[in-house]
Amino acid sequence: MVCVFLFDLHLSSLLSNDKTEVGNYRPISILCVLSKFLEKIIFDQTQEYLTSNKLLYEFQSGFRQRFSTDNCLIHSSDYIRLQIDKGPLVGMVLLDLQKAFDTVDHGILIMTLKAIGFSTSAVIWFASYLNRLQLVDVSGVHSTEAGITCGVPQGSILGPLLFLIYM
């Protein structure tokens, strides 16, 4: 007897999309062209380091060049079929994390960068890159600035790669 269990938990469906709910908004980073250029250089160097040292899961499909959802689906299907051939039970849990990039804890990310061998100067640079302040502007009225301790800059080049490192 072969049983396949698929669980799909949509955490996003538990949260509202109400425009009046403050929690549905996240800060965006307005980055100048020079910083985007610098980010691309750092991205390329970081990607090369991760690839050459085999630090990313080989079947990681999201946020990587030459990988797609097709790669992920083919690998997952093949794996499930192989496991079905080996035994009676196969399970899969799928999580849909809403605002996933906002969950990246800076302290944990910095510790992870140290643990996977980034140089001290690189870790210091990333800590500085993540150290941002935010404020809210509503019709020209500004809140006080507050530090951000979680999340990667929205719309940045490095954000997706930092999220992969964190995960």
Side-chain angles (χ1 to χ4, degrees):
M1 176 177 166
V2 175
C3 296
V4 178
F5 299 101
L6 298 175
F7 301 97
D8 189 0
L9 176 61
H10 286 279
L11 298 178
S12 60
S13 65
L14 302 175
L15 304 172
S16 86
N17 289 322
D18 183 2
K19 291 181 181 179
T20 62
E21 178 63 39
V22 175
N24 288 334
Y25 291 90
R26 58 185 175 267
I28 59 167
S29 297
I30 302 172
L31 305 171
C32 68
V33 173
L34 183 58
S35 68
K36 289 249 185 201
F37 179 72
L38 178 62
E39 271 194 78
K40 179 63 174 143
I41 292 169
I42 300 296
F43 175 91
D44 289 342
Q45 291 175 349
T46 304
Q47 181 74 22
E48 173 59 30
Y49 177 80
L50 295 171
T51 302
S52 63
N53 290 291
K54 297 181 177 20
L55 293 171
L56 292 176
Y57 176 58
E58 65 180 310
F59 296 110
Q60 172 62 44
S61 296
F63 313 117
R64 292 180 68 192
Q65 288 182 346
R66 295 181 297 281
F67 287 87
S68 70
T69 54
D70 291 343
N71 296 101
C72 180
L73 291 171
I74 290 168
H75 173 69
S76 298
S77 298
D78 288 348
Y79 182 80
I80 289 169
R81 286 185 184 115
L82 178 66
Q83 296 308 311
I84 288 172
D85 289 343
K86 288 182 177 180
L89 299 175
V90 176
M92 176 186 276
V93 176
L94 304 171
L95 295 176
D96 180 4
L97 300 173
Q98 184 174 1
K99 301 179 188 175
F101 282 17
D102 294 340
T103 65
V104 176
D105 181 281
H106 295 172
I108 294 171
L109 177 58
I110 294 302
M111 287 189 316
T112 303
L113 292 171
K114 288 178 187 176
I116 62 175
F118 277 66
S119 69
T120 301
S121 59
V123 171
I124 291 170
W125 185 90
F126 278 108
S128 174
Y129 172 79
L130 293 169
N131 185 20
R132 307 180 316 281
L133 297 174
Q134 73 177 11
L135 64 85
V136 176
D137 178 332
V138 178
S139 301
V141 178
H142 298 101
S143 69
T144 57
E145 292 180 339
I148 300 174
T149 59
C150 285
V152 293
Q154 299 292 322
S156 67
I157 293 170
L158 281 171
L161 187 59
L162 292 175
F163 178 75
L164 288 181
I165 293 169
Y166 180 74
M167 294 306 290

